[in-house]
Amino acid sequence: MSHSPIRIYLDNAASTPMDPEVYDYMRKFYCEWAGNPSATHAHGRALRSALEEARRTISGHLYCKPGEIVFTSGGTEADNLAIRGAVEANGIAHIISTRIEHHAVTHVVEALEAKGAVTVTYLDLDREGRFDFAQLEAALTANPGCLVSLMHANNEIGTVYDLHRIGTLCKAHGALFHSDTVQTMGHLTLNLQETPVDFITASAHKFYGPKGVGFLYVRKGVKVKPILLGGSQERELRAGTENVPAIAGMAFALDKCYKNLETKNAHLSGLRSYLLSKLNNAFSGILINGSSDPATALPTVLNVCMGSGGDGMLLFQLDLEGISVSGGSACSAGADVGSHVLRGIGVAPDYAQNAVRFSFGMQNTREEIDWVVAKLEAIVKEPVAHGG
């Protein structure tokens, strides 16, 4: 198998390329602006003004108060702060979640459970990654005042949950509701005045911004205990000098995504449907992991099984052909234990090893999709069987 003269990047759910306009916007903060945003002199005040402008930009798109946005180093820190901070500040003894959350959630929940701080209910899931609301309500009834942590859309299979319905149920039972919205931020709209969620999280590199910066939304009045000590920044919820260039870049990137949301999502969903159509024409029995209904699936993600058996080298073979895709979360790369998400929705190991997550970005084209399918046809020579 020859090496490809080109490279095609279809792993945007792991990280999007930074928008050149975002990079250009950030440069002035690195090159021209000196000071610390906590300083009271003119240099510090200028940075503080830029910091608060970024906060206003983000909160404006989410219909929340600027003071409800806490800047962090990314989605992982934001999830940790929300879950650990809420448990410690509110004396929470029980958490309701699923086994297909991002590891930034599951590992925190498991650690709290292991040290006896909480007990946990894991909701049962169907083949599309959905839970039964009756089971959620029963768990809420049995554990009043608990914390519910359910992501907005799964990062591996793209299934979208109804945050308003979940939040309404949580509120009726006095539970706090945390949702990891890292995959949906900049792609789906959120109105936090109307959606009863107490915490949401975001990471800039998922919506064409810089790596190493994100934020946590904390609804006003909800108690959180900080996990980083050493300063009074971010309303004393996150110690450490704020990364103003990255924060400004994040706000710029998010603003651009939401201002161009309709055009952007039409392009992304068009690529998703085009690839699925091409795969169905080229192979028999493609198995979709996650929601088969585009209305309840992220436009950025398509996860499919290319059949059972084989040597499990499909991703490696695609990489040799110049195609960057994944089999699951990049945060699990090298663990060699397979996708916890696919296990969680009942995909048989024989199929899971041939699963491919294609995730789309604004830079991708239909011509790239054609190239990918042609290479898959050369690699996957046997007819694909039904199953899973």
Side-chain angles (χ1 to χ4, degrees):
M1 189 176 295
S2 62
H3 291 267
S4 171
I6 65 172
R7 286 216 66 90
I8 295 173
Y9 184 74
L10 285 169
D11 198 20
N12 292 274
S15 188
T16 53
M18 190 190 296
D19 186 321
E21 290 186 5
V22 174
Y23 175 74
D24 288 340
Y25 182 74
M26 293 171 60
R27 285 182 63 190
K28 66 178 181 180
F29 294 99
Y30 283 118
C31 301
E32 302 171 18
W33 294 43
N36 185 310
S38 294
T40 58
H41 51 58
H43 285 84
R45 293 196 304 274
L47 284 173
R48 171 59 58 183
S49 177
L51 188 73
E52 297 310 322
E53 179 61 29
R55 209 185 305 271
R56 285 191 294 272
T57 296
I58 292 169
S59 64
H61 286 296
L62 300 178
Y63 300 94
C64 66
K65 299 177 177 65
E68 295 174 311
I69 300 297
V70 179
F71 294 124
T72 68
S73 63
T76 297
E77 183 191 338
D79 284 331
N80 272 260
L81 175 56
I83 297 169
R84 291 182 181 275
V87 166
E88 292 189 24
N90 298 281
I92 290 170
H94 193 81
I95 294 175
I96 301 171
S97 191
T98 75
R99 295 194 181 277
I100 67 168
E101 301 296 308
H102 190 280
H103 281 156
V105 170
T106 59
H107 287 176
V108 178
V109 172
E110 288 166 0
L112 290 169
E113 184 181 25
K115 73 176 187 178
V118 299
T119 55
V120 184
T121 295
Y122 292 102
L123 302 175
D124 299 326
L125 301 169
D126 65 17
R127 187 62 183 72
E128 293 192 348
R130 303 193 181 284
F131 60 87
D132 186 342
F133 272 85
Q135 185 186 17
L136 173 59
E137 185 165 22
L140 285 166
T141 301
N143 301 280
C146 67
L147 172 68
V148 174
S149 183
L150 297 169
M151 66 200 315
H152 192 188
N154 189 271
N155 55 306
E156 292 192 27
I157 60 176
T159 300
V160 178
Y161 286 167
D162 184 342
L163 292 192
H164 191 274
R165 185 179 177 189
I166 297 169
T168 300
L169 199 55
C170 291
K171 189 175 181 180
H173 290 81
L176 292 178
F177 178 29
H178 160 259
S179 184
D180 182 322
T181 56
V182 166
Q183 285 297 328
T184 59
M185 190 63 60
H187 302 298
L188 302 182
T189 57
L190 288 163
N191 186 330
L192 298 176
Q193 287 184 351
E194 298 178 353
T195 305
V197 60
D198 299 291
F199 310 98
I200 64 168
T201 57
S203 192
H205 72 107
K206 305 291 187 175
F207 48 84
Y208 310 97
K211 295 177 178 64
V213 64
F215 65 85
L216 169 67
Y217 159 80
V218 183
R219 184 174 293 280
K220 185 178 180 180
V222 175
K223 292 188 295 182
V224 181
K225 186 174 181 180
I227 59 175
L228 293 178
L229 304 177
S232 59
Q233 294 89 350
E234 298 302 296
R235 303 191 343 268
E236 300 189 350
L237 289 178
R238 201 271 183 180
T241 302
E242 293 95 342
N243 185 353
V244 178
I247 290 168
M250 172 171 63
F252 185 95
L254 190 65
D255 187 53
K256 186 172 179 179
C257 278
Y258 278 124
K259 284 180 176 177
N260 299 288
L261 188 65
E262 187 174 340
T263 300
K264 177 178 70 68
N265 282 359
H267 175 71
L268 297 173
S269 60
L271 291 175
R272 184 184 188 277
S273 62
Y274 183 66
L275 175 57
L276 182 56
S277 175
K278 295 277 291 186
L279 289 174
N280 282 326
N281 288 335
F283 305 98
S284 61
I286 288 291
L287 183 69
I288 298 177
N289 299 314
S291 177
S292 56
D293 180 2
T296 55
L298 268 179
T300 52
V301 173
L302 177 65
N303 191 313
V304 297
C305 286
M306 299 298 299
S308 63
D311 56 10
M313 297 292 286
L314 180 56
L315 298 179
F316 177 71
Q317 291 171 303
L318 287 170
D319 189 38
L320 288 179
E321 290 293 343
I323 300 164
S324 296
V325 292
S326 71
S329 171
C331 302
S332 305
D336 198 30
V337 294
S339 165
H340 73 287
V341 173
L342 297 187
R343 285 199 308 274
I345 63 173
V347 178
D350 211 26
Y351 280 84
Q353 70 173 353
N354 294 314
V356 184
R357 181 187 69 176
F358 301 97
S359 49
F360 314 99
M362 284 300 293
Q363 77 283 1
N364 294 128
T365 65
R366 288 195 172 202
E367 288 75 20
E368 289 179 330
I369 300 300
D370 292 337
W371 177 275
V372 169
V373 174
K375 291 301 178 182
L376 275 170
E377 287 183 287
I379 295 168
V380 184
K381 296 180 174 62
E382 297 297 323
V384 178
H386 288 276

